[in-house]
Amino acid sequence: MNTNSIFSTDGTGRFGPYGGQFVPETLMPCLQELERTWDAARQDPAFKTELASLLADYSGRPTPLYRAQRLEKHCGDAARIYLKREDLNHTGAHKINNCLGQILLAKRMGKSRIVAETGAGQHGVATATVCALVGLECTVYMGEVDMKRQAPNVRRMHLMGAAVIPVTSGARTLKDASSEAIRDWVTHVATTHYIIGSVVGPHPYPAMVRDFQAVIGTEARQQILAKEDRLPDAVIACVGGGSNAIGIFSGFVADEVALYGVEAGGSQAGSSAALSLGEPGVLHGSFSYLLQTQDGQVIPAHSVAAGLDYPGVGPEHSHLKDTGRVCYDSVNDDEALTAFADLSRLEGIIPALESSHALAYCRRILSQPTAVAPWRKKPGMKKPLVIVNLSGRGDKDMAQTGEDDS
Ligand SMILES: *Cc1c(COP(=O)(O)O)cnc(C)c1O
């Protein structure tokens, strides 16, 4: 650890060149305490049992793996399509998996207070939920713009006893909320644990959050083997910070399964496609792909999906991009909105706008030539098997999508 600099890294927690601990020195003892606690907990059967029982009885896991046959028809019957129903978790998205894990760690560290950032409000709601569950004080930072477009989630957090603090700096969205949450944490580090909502931030967060979200991939793997007696050909997930994607990928990364991470291509107003369009740089304590100017100034992200509206991405995804193990691409706002309407009408499932990016990409690779998806021409193959991670439900997005659905 370089103690001469206000930004230091001890060189741990790297994924290839990415990751690290680019934080002020005052935070280092905290990160080390968190890492020690997490290391001990993951080997402690009592911790595993407590977390497993909360995931089952409180959040409703395992979430179903559902075959969407009308969606298959809509995609030209080119594949069997399964949806991993993370939308059916308590609080409506995958975020609760990570929050339940981290709140148990916060208790073990004897912290009395939790801070969190939120974009769509999903992580804020999940954090407020677990704080109510164990009786810890909760402060959530949220961009003013996001508070407007996700007003029902603000009300949910208030109801569960959380303080929601509007962030008025910068673009008043997720990046700015993250910066404020970190500022709060630095100031109250002795009593406070920061629950990061994705596989971003300094080590140990990216690895720890991945491990908490790996339950998605573990279940999906068992479920597809039970239903189809084989592994899928492709797994598709949307990527904001990348936690739902890394969670489901972790179940298949060691196998011959094509993995697709779908970023938000946004619109002419901008994008959130850090992997597709960015360059490596440091943001929020970690080295990873980042939307930035030539001078290294962060470019404000844009997406119709508030949960994808982040200019950075988890460091492990940067490594998976460079090694070529995962294929990253993007779909734009309009494509996501179309997929949102399609799934609602075809299956009676209203998907989150974030998840709609993965659905739109599924449609795209099934309707385009095999060059995009080489696995589609495996010799002797009948019908490809595809799993789309439905990271959350879209009730929160009703105001965003308007009434023009004819
Ligand atoms: C927050 C969120 C995302 C994006 O976060 P990741 O860490 O990339 O998973 C995606 N889908 C939903 C429903 C979300 O709430």
Side-chain angles (χ1 to χ4, degrees):
M1 188 170 113
N2 172 9
T3 46
N4 295 323
S5 152
I6 57 156
F7 292 104
S8 52
T9 173
D10 63 1
T12 61
R14 293 281 180 157
F15 304 93
Y18 303 107
Q21 293 176 306
F22 295 85
V23 298
E25 267 175 67
T26 42
L27 279 184
M28 284 308 289
C30 248
L31 293 175
Q32 284 155 0
E33 179 191 25
L34 178 59
E35 188 174 9
R36 272 197 311 276
T37 308
W38 164 230
D39 271 346
R42 69 208 290 207
Q43 291 164 45
D44 178 356
F47 179 86
K48 285 191 214 165
T49 307
E50 189 177 10
L51 180 56
S53 95
L54 285 174
L55 288 171
D57 301 333
Y58 189 69
S59 188
R61 302 203 74 90
T63 58
L65 186 72
Y66 163 73
R67 184 168 165 211
Q69 298 196 52
R70 274 175 40 84
L71 178 65
E72 289 175 7
K73 284 225 163 48
H74 185 67
C75 296
D77 266 326
R80 286 174 181 249
I81 305 173
Y82 283 88
L83 305 178
K84 181 59 175 159
R85 298 290 309 274
E86 289 303 297
D87 61 310
L88 293 178
N89 274 305
H90 179 42
T91 72
H94 66 290
K95 299 261 171 34
I96 191 90
N97 304 328
N98 167 45
C99 287
L100 284 170
Q102 285 201 47
I103 202 75
L104 295 184
L105 294 182
K107 272 201 332 190
R108 283 187 162 221
M109 291 185 289
K111 306 283 182 183
S112 60
R113 180 171 175 269
I114 298 295
V115 291
E117 82 296 337
T118 196
Q122 293 293 106
H123 176 58
V125 167
T127 303
T129 301
V130 298
C131 286
L133 174 70
V134 304
L136 289 191
E137 189 190 326
C138 180
T139 302
V140 177
Y141 290 88
M142 189 169 189
E144 212 176 32
V145 169
D146 288 335
M147 284 183 74
K148 284 213 183 81
R149 56 181 179 175
Q150 306 287 346
N153 274 341
V154 175
R155 173 130 174 72
R156 279 185 193 105
M157 289 184 265
H158 283 154
L159 226 114
M160 292 185 283
V164 183
I165 304 196
V167 175
T168 54
S169 55
R172 293 168 292 151
T173 59
L174 181 55
K175 173 181 78 72
D176 316 292
S178 303
S179 302
E180 283 306 320
I182 292 171
R183 231 162 269 159
D184 180 317
W185 189 33
V186 174
T187 318
H188 305 102
V189 84
T191 57
T192 302
H193 174 60
Y194 175 25
I195 300 189
I196 296 186
S198 190
V199 285
V200 299
H203 178 70
Y205 283 102
M208 182 182 72
V209 175
R210 174 202 60 208
D211 289 353
F212 285 136
Q213 292 295 357
V215 65
I216 306 173
T218 305
E219 284 177 10
R221 186 189 170 88
Q222 286 166 359
Q223 289 167 321
I224 197 77
L225 286 173
K227 284 176 197 291
E228 294 280 350
D229 205 24
R230 71 176 182 96
L231 290 174
D233 297 288
V235 173
I236 306 171
C238 67
V239 175
S243 68
N244 86 89
I246 214 86
I248 195 160
F249 291 170
S250 67
F252 305 96
V253 74
D255 302 291
E256 220 181 289
V257 174
L259 304 175
Y260 294 92
V262 187
E263 297 190 294
S267 67
Q268 286 190 328
S271 88
S272 306
L275 291 162
S276 308
L277 300 173
E279 296 286 341
V282 170
L283 178 65
H284 299 144
S286 172
F287 182 65
S288 194
Y289 278 84
L290 178 61
L291 294 175
Q292 57 183 319
T293 64
Q294 287 202 319
D295 305 330
Q297 293 300 309
V298 176
I299 299 173
H302 167 83
S303 170
V304 69
L308 301 182
D309 203 338
Y310 183 67
V313 68
E316 193 167 9
H317 285 288
S318 292
H319 187 51
L320 289 166
K321 171 191 159 79
D322 284 4
T323 60
R325 176 61 190 92
V326 177
C327 170
Y328 295 93
D329 205 339
S330 61
V331 306
N332 65 29
D333 286 354
D334 289 342
E335 292 171 288
L337 286 164
T338 302
F340 174 86
D342 284 348
L343 195 75
S344 303
R345 245 176 264 167
L346 290 167
E347 297 285 349
I349 299 170
I350 302 175
L353 278 174
E354 293 82 5
S355 325
S356 300
H357 286 71
L359 291 162
Y361 195 72
C362 176
R363 173 100 194 270
R364 187 197 292 174
I365 55 171
L366 291 178
S367 63
Q368 278 187 2
T370 47
V372 193
W375 44 269
R376 285 187 58 198
K377 51 180 177 189
K378 267 193 205 158
M381 171 184 273
K382 285 182 213 145
K383 228 178 224 182
L385 215 50
V386 177
I387 300 179
V388 179
N389 199 23
L390 204 72
S391 53
R393 66 176 182 229
D395 307 56
K396 67 182 176 57
D397 298 313
M398 300 314 293
Q400 267 297 100
T401 50
E403 300 132 36
D404 53 336
D405 324 77
S406 47

